Amino acid sequence: MNVAEIKYCDIANGIGVRVSLFVSGCRHHCTGCFNEIAWDFDFGKPYDKQTEDKIIAALAPSYMDGITLLGGEPFEPENQQQLISLVKRIRRELPDKSVWAYSGFTFEELSGKVPSRAGGEKCSELLGLLDVLVDGRFVFEKKDITLRFRGSSNQRIIDVPRSMAEDKIVLWDSNAHT
């Protein structure tokens, strides 16, 4: 897995102050994508233990709320295993930090209800480690800059643990997190 960029103090991609990890590689190729350079799986630098250690150290302060996984596409099969390892380490060492992810795949595709190239055991495992998923491809014709934490109106902000427990989409309650 390659890393396109890491923002160590980001307030744009989820609640609070976060580390935003942009992985490389995406096959969606959405028209109007804000990060087209990260479509290439070879873009950026290889993810390694030093990178992971730096992410963990950046997340440690009490003012840090969590991590957000973006891309590229975190759920491309080539990215899943290393993200699983990272998030498991975060859950183990920093259990109070939230984990958000942005994906062009829908929750239904990631959960296996609809077939997709992302699906499978590792995909389900990564999905199960998340608190919040912003799902769905960016649709240029539905672009809306007034939306909180998403780029187009078709995208949903999903409470992953509740959605999995209730076996239905439960949208994240933004009023509980102002």
Side-chain angles (χ1 to χ4, degrees):
M1 178 177 83
N2 274 10
V3 174
E5 181 179 8
I6 301 173
K7 294 182 179 181
Y8 288 99
C9 196
D10 187 15
I11 59 169
N13 294 300
I15 289 295
V17 183
R18 315 184 68 72
V19 171
S20 290
L21 170 62
F22 293 81
V23 298
S24 296
C26 182
R27 294 181 180 92
H28 295 303
H29 296 190
C30 301
T31 300
C33 175
F34 82 99
N35 203 14
E36 191 173 320
I37 196 166
W39 291 355
D40 181 352
F41 284 87
D42 294 323
F43 178 75
K45 297 178 180 175
Y47 179 86
D48 57 18
K49 174 117 173 51
Q50 183 180 6
T51 304
E52 184 172 297
D53 290 345
K54 193 171 178 183
I55 290 169
I56 296 295
L59 284 169
S62 61
Y63 63 84
M64 295 298 292
D65 291 284
I67 189 166
T68 301
L69 311 173
L70 312 95
E73 171 58 63
F75 282 92
E76 288 289 2
E78 294 88 339
N79 294 330
Q80 293 176 16
Q81 184 57 56
Q82 285 183 295
L83 291 176
I84 290 168
S85 297
L86 170 63
V87 176
K88 281 184 170 181
R89 183 175 173 194
I90 292 167
R91 293 293 190 205
R92 187 174 57 251
E93 295 179 25
L94 302 163
D96 60 325
K97 306 301 179 181
S98 66
V99 180
W100 283 48
Y102 283 73
S103 178
F105 293 105
T106 63
F107 183 86
E108 292 82 1
E109 290 171 317
L110 297 175
S111 64
K113 292 183 190 284
V114 173
S116 78
R117 70 177 178 275
E121 195 172 302
K122 287 181 181 167
C123 179
S124 296
E125 185 176 3
L126 180 56
L127 181 64
L129 292 168
L130 302 180
D131 295 300
V132 175
L133 173 71
V134 181
D135 83 333
R137 294 175 67 149
F138 172 74
V139 176
F140 186 75
E141 296 77 19
K142 295 183 178 188
K143 180 178 179 178
D144 184 345
I145 62 170
T146 68
L147 297 171
R148 190 175 190 200
F149 303 129
R150 50 198 178 122
S152 59
S153 61
N154 61 296
Q155 295 171 314
R156 303 172 293 185
I157 305 174
I158 297 171
D159 181 323
V160 175
R162 287 192 57 208
S163 295
M164 293 178 95
E166 297 180 28
D167 196 29
K168 67 178 185 177
I169 299 293
V170 178
L171 297 180
W172 174 75
D173 182 1
S174 63
N175 293 325
H177 301 84
T178 54

